[in-house]
Amino acid sequence: LTFLTISEKTPSRNLKPIAAIKEGIHYSLAHPVIRVLLLFTAVTSIFGWSYTTIMPIIAHNVFHVDAKGLGYLYSATGLGSLLATFIVSAFSKRIPSVLFIIGGNIIFCCSLILFANTSTMAAALTLLFFTGFGLLSQSATMNTIIQGMVRNDFRGRVMSLYILMFMGLAPLGNFEIGWLTEKAGISLAITINASLVLIFSLTLLSWKKNIREAYRNYKKLNPDEIVL
């Protein structure tokens, strides 16, 4: 950070906190791409990430392993995420962003559904690797798009909303998957949640043309904003 050379001028505005928050929310909701990505982040946070909450009980009840085995399960997800980080950074300019988002989501959801329905440790480790790979491919790309599109004077407020969607809603997902696991069992609970995230991403894919058209119209009204 010390070696970065930044020549941008900081805008001098003295909005009251409540007014600034309202302005940031209005900006995020008015932007057709940022609005959709924030919503997608919220859905993934609630129904996608929540499986990690019950991983200890999965390790104990399904795979019959101790803390060491649980560590292997988490590590497999981490290795997949690490690989995704390198691939996204290396090929982000060659591969369309929508492919990383939707493709990553499909890999994540399908791997998670298969993981929820296997009882073999080797298969579980492989599937969790792809789960981490798909989830990070999607999340990193969405974060990049939001930061690339947002105006500098709204950056802090929009990223606050992003963190709220990404981390602030996770406790709702923890509560939801705990309740669903009690009612339907581990396998079905994860399968339902992953299916919901997958359906949402496929719905966004079918709306891709509408989102692009909405963004073109938005750009006509806001020609000074960055085109990613």
Side-chain angles (χ1 to χ4, degrees):
L1 290 175
T2 302
F3 288 106
L4 289 176
T5 302
I6 302 173
S7 59
E8 295 174 337
K9 294 181 179 179
T10 304
S12 56
R13 300 183 66 194
N14 294 315
L15 286 175
K16 293 182 179 180
I18 299 300
I21 292 172
K22 287 182 178 179
E23 190 180 64
I25 293 173
H26 180 268
Y27 171 83
S28 301
L29 295 179
H31 197 293
V33 178
I34 292 177
R35 176 180 66 226
V36 168
L37 292 181
L38 287 177
L39 181 58
F40 197 3
T41 301
V43 171
T44 304
S45 176
I46 295 173
F47 300 105
W49 283 101
S50 56
Y51 80 95
T52 59
T53 304
I54 58 172
M55 280 293 285
I57 199 68
I58 294 173
H60 183 270
N61 289 6
V62 178
F63 301 110
H64 309 293
V65 294
D66 55 10
K68 184 177 180 179
L70 176 62
Y72 287 141
L73 293 172
Y74 280 132
S75 297
T77 307
L79 287 173
S81 300
L82 186 62
L83 177 62
T85 301
F86 287 110
I87 290 180
V88 170
S89 62
F91 297 100
S92 59
K93 294 183 178 179
R94 305 178 195 176
I95 299 175
S97 298
V98 68
L99 185 59
F100 276 121
I101 295 174
I102 303 300
N105 182 265
I106 291 173
I107 292 173
F108 164 67
C109 293
C110 291
S111 299
L112 189 56
I113 290 171
L114 291 173
F115 166 75
N117 293 278
T118 186
S119 57
T120 305
M121 188 65 173
L125 292 172
T126 303
L127 291 168
L128 283 177
F129 175 86
F130 286 105
T131 296
F133 177 86
L135 185 57
L136 209 290
S137 298
Q138 166 194 315
S139 300
T141 304
M142 290 197 297
N143 189 328
T144 301
I145 291 176
I146 292 174
Q147 295 234 37
M149 285 187 166
V150 66
R151 280 168 43 186
N152 284 336
D153 51 328
F154 284 99
R155 186 173 307 279
R157 284 168 285 178
V158 171
M159 293 313 297
S160 294
L161 288 173
Y162 173 78
I163 295 300
L164 174 63
M165 299 296 107
F166 186 69
M167 299 181 66
L169 296 183
L172 294 179
N174 298 342
F175 174 82
E176 181 270 342
I177 199 167
W179 176 83
L180 194 57
T181 299
E182 287 184 354
K183 300 298 180 182
I186 295 172
S187 177
L188 188 56
I190 296 177
T191 300
I192 290 173
N193 279 7
S195 298
L196 290 174
V197 179
L198 180 60
I199 290 170
F200 188 85
S201 70
L202 294 178
T203 302
L204 287 186
L205 183 62
S206 67
W207 288 348
K208 184 174 66 173
K209 292 183 179 179
N210 295 338
I211 295 171
R212 282 180 176 173
E213 184 62 30
Y215 182 58
R216 289 193 193 101
N217 294 333
Y218 177 84
K219 283 299 298 175
K220 291 177 182 178
L221 298 175
N222 303 271
D224 60 319
E225 291 199 7
I226 299 171
V227 178
L228 188 65

